Amino acid sequence: MVSLQPQLTQSKTAFDFHREGNKWVKKKNYEKAKMSFASAICLEEKNPEYHFSMGEVFYKTRNFEQADRHLTKTIEINSEFFGARELFEKVRKKLGKSTELESKNET
């Protein structure tokens, strides 16, 4: 099993890691893509594109719980992020969960 610990170096930016992750996705090497996306997220946690990309990879590898986590984060950061709501709803249906976001302010 491959560790998802971020591979941070001084010379790479979050954008570099995200671009690298997309290259791994095109090659269908999802484990390496996850590592790259994890590094991008570590550097820029509030970037919805990085969470969306990670959510897509988890969806493709059928890890719906983790896909749900990252897609939820995407929508929390940017509720209008293109494609996030549709993939979120697909994941939620796979999990048998409501397609509504839970409020973080519940008591």
Side-chain angles (χ1 to χ4, degrees):
M1 180 152 161
V2 176
S3 170
L4 289 181
Q5 292 299 314
Q7 307 297 313
L8 301 180
T9 63
Q10 296 286 60
S11 60
K12 283 190 176 179
T13 66
F15 177 81
D16 294 330
F17 282 115
H18 186 254
R19 184 175 50 210
E20 178 182 270
N22 285 331
K23 288 178 184 176
W24 288 122
V25 168
K26 286 180 184 175
K27 294 180 180 183
K28 297 187 188 310
N29 189 330
Y30 299 124
E31 292 307 311
K32 287 190 177 184
K34 286 184 225 176
M35 290 187 335
S36 295
F37 293 146
S39 295
I41 289 167
C42 186
L43 290 171
E44 287 186 30
E45 185 181 350
K46 302 244 184 244
N47 188 314
E49 187 172 358
Y50 303 162
H51 285 283
F52 181 73
S53 295
M54 185 71 98
E56 283 185 311
V57 169
F58 279 120
Y59 180 79
K60 288 178 181 182
T61 58
R62 305 185 60 76
N63 185 334
F64 301 123
E65 288 292 338
Q66 287 297 319
D68 181 51
R69 180 175 158 250
H70 285 282
L71 293 167
T72 297
K73 186 71 172 174
T74 302
I75 294 166
E76 287 172 353
I77 296 168
N78 180 352
S79 62
E80 301 298 316
F81 192 88
F82 182 77
R85 180 68 63 179
E86 292 80 4
L87 188 55
F88 172 80
E89 289 175 2
K90 284 183 185 179
V91 167
R92 284 295 178 102
K93 286 177 183 174
K94 294 274 188 191
L95 292 171
K97 292 183 177 181
S98 167
T99 58
E100 296 297 317
L101 281 177
E102 290 88 21
S103 171
K104 286 190 167 189
N105 297 327
E106 292 178 10
T107 56

